[in-house]
């Protein structure tokens, strides 16, 4: 009875919420549909996706290096990687973004001395564009988290496999690429997928440095048209759509790397037929028990006697 009451209550709330969204004119659904596929919004969405992909790739590469350093036997490597992870995980991403954006206040010019050559000077104000600052901030921050994710995946692999590979003469690099990482991927993929989704949504904070991603684009539009709620709904719908696609892709990738680790194997056609035939015969039914003929018993006795006599002579 409680189950039916709970179901009815949930359905009632859903219907009331849907009715409110459809009948409330303040949602301005005509404005939402007009801007949903507008060129300006689609360009902002494209920059959001581009920033997510570039930052995730760079963060994963740097995180892999940091993970290997944290597992290294060299104390300096372990300490340096641990310090990096500590700094970037202990400070907010927004603070890191603003510091990088104002880095020119600390280093107005970047000078590179070429041995036996000229000195190259770079103006930091010209170098640090909003796009570059966003890529650096997200990549450096993501590397700290990916370091811990990859390190956990590597540590989940049985150390005995690494020892066996070393006994066979495999190099350390070959052991990582052929044995460790392929098995660690089933532990790395789920949290990595969550990090990609978090980064996609987290790109909205770079609107503070006037980078024209999705949220900043709709902010520019509703600042001009004063249609705040409809344009925020447009941004929310696009975030929801892209995030759903990423979640589906993550599921397929997880299924790919989980093959052979679920402990189950689909039976072949012959095995399925044999299993079905065995299950069809009740073990307690004496009618289905095939009796052994006297000739078969005699043959088995002679064979057993011959085998025992041969062992005695030996």
């Amino acid at each position: 009875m409680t189950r039916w009451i709970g179901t009815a209550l949930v359905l009632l709330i859903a219907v009331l919420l849907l009715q409110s969204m459809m009948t409330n004119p303040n949602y301005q659904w005509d404005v939402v549909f007009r801007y949903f596929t507008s060129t300006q919004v689609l360009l902002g969405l494209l920059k959001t996706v581009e920033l997510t992909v570039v930052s995730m790739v760079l963060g994963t590469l740097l995180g892999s290096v940091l993970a290997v350093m944290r597992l290294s036997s060299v104390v300096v490597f372990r300490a340096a990687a641990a310090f990096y992870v500590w700094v970037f995980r202990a400070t907010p991403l927004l603070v890191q973004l603003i510091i990088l954006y104002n880095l020119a206040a600390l280093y107005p010019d970047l000078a590179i001395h070429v041995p036996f050559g000229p000195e190259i000077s770079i103006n930091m104000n010209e170098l640090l564009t909003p796009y570059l600052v966003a890529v650096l901030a997200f990549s450096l921050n993501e590397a700290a988290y990916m370091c811990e994710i990859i390190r956990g995946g590597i540590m989940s692999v049985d150390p005995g496999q690494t020892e066996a590979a070393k006994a066979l003469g495999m190099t350390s690099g070959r052991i990582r690429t052929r044995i460790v990482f392929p098995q660690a991927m089933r532990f790395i993929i789920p949290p990595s997928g969550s990090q990609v989704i978090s980064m996609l949504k987290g790109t909205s904070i770079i609107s503070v440095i006037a980078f024209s991603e999705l949220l900043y684009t709709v902010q520019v539009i509703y600042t001009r048209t004063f249609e705040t709620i409809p344009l925020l709904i447009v941004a929310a719908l696009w975030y929801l759509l892209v995030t759903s696609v990423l979640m589906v892709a993550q599921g397929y990738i997880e299924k790919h790397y989980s093959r052979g680790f679920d402990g189950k194997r689909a039976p072949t056609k012959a095995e399925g037929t044999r299993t079905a035939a065995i299950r069809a015969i009740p073990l307690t039914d004496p009618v289905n028990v095939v009796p052994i003929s006297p000739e078969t018993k005699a043959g088995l006795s002679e064979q057993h006697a011959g085998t025992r006599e041969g062992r005695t002579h030996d």
Side-chain angles (χ1 to χ4, degrees):
M1 186 63 181
T2 306
R3 180 177 59 184
W4 292 106
I5 294 176
T7 303
L9 183 61
V10 171
L11 291 177
L12 178 61
I13 295 174
V15 170
L16 292 175
L17 180 61
L18 183 62
Q19 181 184 7
S20 174
M21 293 176 62
M22 293 296 102
T23 58
N24 190 342
N26 295 324
Y27 281 98
Q28 303 181 46
W29 290 108
D30 56 332
V31 178
V32 172
F33 295 141
R34 185 170 73 249
Y35 283 104
F36 188 74
T37 56
S38 65
T39 303
Q40 194 172 357
V41 171
L42 292 179
L43 288 176
L45 175 65
L46 181 61
K47 290 183 179 180
T48 295
V49 175
E50 178 187 354
L51 178 62
T52 302
V53 173
V54 173
S55 300
M56 193 66 199
V57 171
L58 295 177
T60 302
L61 293 176
L62 181 57
S64 301
V65 175
L66 291 171
V68 174
M69 290 176 62
R70 290 212 65 182
L71 296 172
S72 173
S73 58
V74 181
V75 178
V76 176
F77 289 170
R78 292 202 309 268
F83 178 78
Y84 180 96
V85 172
W86 170 64
V87 169
F88 280 92
R89 291 182 66 187
T91 55
L93 176 58
L94 182 58
V95 175
Q96 300 169 18
L97 181 67
I98 296 175
I99 290 176
L100 286 173
Y101 188 68
N102 295 279
L103 193 62
L106 293 175
Y107 303 98
D109 295 299
L110 180 64
I112 301 176
H113 297 274
V114 179
F116 307 103
E119 177 180 327
I120 302 174
S121 180
I122 302 174
N123 190 303
M124 295 295 289
N125 281 317
E126 297 177 358
L127 177 65
L128 294 176
T129 61
Y131 178 78
L132 182 59
V133 169
V135 170
L136 286 175
F138 280 99
S139 301
L140 295 176
N141 182 268
E142 188 62 28
Y145 290 92
M146 289 304 300
C147 169
E148 295 301 287
I149 292 173
I150 295 172
R151 184 172 69 94
I154 294 174
M155 293 177 65
S156 67
V157 180
D158 186 4
Q161 300 191 30
T162 303
E163 296 174 1
K166 289 181 179 179
L168 293 174
M170 296 180 67
T171 61
S172 299
R174 195 175 182 85
I175 291 173
R176 293 192 186 97
T177 56
R178 294 297 183 89
I179 296 176
V180 177
F181 277 109
Q183 297 184 69
M185 287 300 291
R186 65 191 181 104
F187 296 100
I188 294 174
I189 291 298
S192 298
S194 300
Q195 286 297 116
V196 174
I197 294 173
S198 298
M199 180 181 291
L200 176 72
K201 297 182 294 184
T203 53
S204 59
I205 70 171
I206 62 175
S207 59
V208 299
I209 61 172
F211 180 75
S212 56
E213 46 79 46
L214 180 58
L215 180 60
Y216 184 77
T217 300
V218 299
Q219 285 177 336
V220 170
I221 296 175
Y222 72 62
T223 302
R224 184 179 67 251
T225 63
F226 301 102
E227 296 167 328
T228 305
I229 296 299
L231 284 161
L232 288 177
I233 292 176
V234 169
L237 290 176
W238 272 120
Y239 281 123
L240 182 63
L241 180 61
V242 178
T243 300
S244 301
V245 173
L246 291 176
M247 292 173 66
V248 173
Q250 177 185 348
Y252 279 107
I253 297 174
E254 288 181 14
K255 186 181 297 184
H256 172 76
Y257 282 102
S258 296
R259 290 183 304 177
F261 293 98
D262 55 358
K264 298 179 181 179
R265 180 177 62 89
T268 62
K269 185 176 181 180
E271 291 175 342
T273 305
R274 185 166 61 251
T275 303
I278 293 174
R279 290 178 177 175
I281 302 176
L283 298 178
T284 58
D285 188 0
V287 177
N288 292 311
V289 179
V290 180
I292 301 177
S293 62
E295 293 79 4
T296 304
K297 287 183 179 180
L300 291 174
S301 299
E302 292 176 0
Q303 183 180 1
H304 178 66
T307 304
R308 183 172 57 185
E309 183 179 355
R311 291 179 178 176
T312 304
H313 287 303
D314 292 340

